[in-house]
């Protein structure tokens, strides 16, 4: 892992460099093949106040780079906050790799179909026919449907009346009921 520490508009003392290096070393615990880490520390004056800005650019092998920029009044606090954010990003990437299995779609299909005999399954489906009578197709009285709408606070109900016609009973905006 290549580490590059840069200071813009400020001098990096040995204590600051040691703190940055120690913070960067904590990122190696995720085993993510870190190629390089570039740390740029700058000072800015905004609204009459000096602020320290720390920017991490972490280049990973076979993955996107992680870029983190953190502002704070204290340089050490900015380094710690940026390191915490970098650790969080690295942990997320690591968890995605560990949790998500890299099985191919064909391997998953083969595993699912390994215990199934397709010939037996198709024969079983052909032999078994179960007639089902749906409640929707039973004739109902308009008064019964009206009672259901009021009790269940529905906006409409589709049903077949005693004459065999498909009907729709609905609640209108004025509070009355309409029937198609």
């Amino acid at each position: 892992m290549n580490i590059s520490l840069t200071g813009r508009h400020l001098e990096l003392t040995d204590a600051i460099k040691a703190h940055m290096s120690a913070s960067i070393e904590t990122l190696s615990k995720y085993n993510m093949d870190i190629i390089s880490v570039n740390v740029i520390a700058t000072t800015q004056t905004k609204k009459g106040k000096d602020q320290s800005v720390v920017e991490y650019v972490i280049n990973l092998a076979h993955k996107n780079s992680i870029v983190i920029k953190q502002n704070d009044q204290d340089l050490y606090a900015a380094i710690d906050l940026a390191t915490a954010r970098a650790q969080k990003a690295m942990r997320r990437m690591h968890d995605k790799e560990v949790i998500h299995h890299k099985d191919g779609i064909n391997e998953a299909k083969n595993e699912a179909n390994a215990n199934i005999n397709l010939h037996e399954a198709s024969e079983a489906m052909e032999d078994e026919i179960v007639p089902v009578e749906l409640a929707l197709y039973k004739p109902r009285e308009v008064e019964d449907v009206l009672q259901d709408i009021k009790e269940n606070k529905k906006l409409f109900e589709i049903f077949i009346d005693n004459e065999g016609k498909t009907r729709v009973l609905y609640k209108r905006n004025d509070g009355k009921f309409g029937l198609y």
Side-chain angles (χ1 to χ4, degrees):
M1 168 176 26
N2 295 329
I3 299 174
S4 170
L5 306 175
T6 307
R8 292 186 186 152
H9 307 294
L10 77 119
E11 182 179 336
L12 295 179
T13 62
D14 291 336
I16 293 172
K17 287 180 182 178
H19 187 70
M20 285 181 179
S21 297
S23 297
I24 292 169
E25 291 300 322
T26 63
L27 301 176
S28 63
K29 69 181 178 182
Y30 296 105
N31 299 323
M32 294 292 292
D33 293 331
I34 300 173
I35 296 171
S36 66
V37 178
N38 299 324
V39 181
I40 302 168
T42 61
T43 57
Q44 297 176 346
T45 304
K46 286 188 178 181
K47 298 181 183 178
K49 294 184 179 180
D50 288 334
Q51 282 195 340
S52 298
V53 179
V54 176
E55 182 177 351
Y56 279 23
V57 179
I58 304 168
N59 296 314
L60 301 171
H62 310 293
K63 292 177 185 51
N64 293 334
S65 297
I66 299 172
V67 179
I68 295 170
K69 193 172 189 179
Q70 184 64 47
N71 300 338
D72 201 287
Q73 291 180 354
D74 182 30
L75 179 61
Y76 288 98
I79 294 169
D80 292 340
L81 290 170
T83 303
R85 289 178 57 198
Q87 287 175 346
K88 186 176 182 180
M90 298 278 287
R91 183 176 57 246
R92 284 182 179 166
M93 291 179 92
H94 178 263
D95 289 347
K96 280 183 184 177
E97 279 187 4
V98 171
I99 292 171
H100 292 62
H101 300 287
K102 295 186 177 181
D103 292 337
I105 190 72
N106 291 332
E107 293 172 5
K109 283 182 182 177
N110 290 338
E111 279 184 28
N113 293 333
N115 299 329
I116 299 173
N117 186 345
L118 294 177
H119 184 69
E120 290 176 5
S122 65
E123 285 180 0
M125 289 175 60
E126 288 177 9
D127 295 341
E128 187 175 348
I129 298 175
V130 179
V132 177
E133 190 170 326
L134 298 175
L136 176 67
Y137 298 112
K138 293 182 180 178
R140 298 176 64 192
E141 291 287 333
V142 176
E143 291 79 19
D144 296 337
V145 176
L146 180 62
Q147 191 65 27
D148 286 347
I149 290 177
K150 288 181 180 178
E151 288 176 0
N152 297 329
K153 296 183 180 177
K154 293 181 181 179
L155 295 176
F156 66 93
E157 182 78 33
I158 301 171
F159 65 99
I160 296 176
D161 66 1
N162 290 333
E163 297 172 4
K165 294 181 183 177
T166 302
R167 309 295 293 261
V168 178
L169 185 65
Y170 65 96
K171 186 172 184 175
R172 298 174 17 157
N173 291 338
D174 60 1
K176 298 179 181 178
F177 294 93
L179 178 66
Y180 284 117

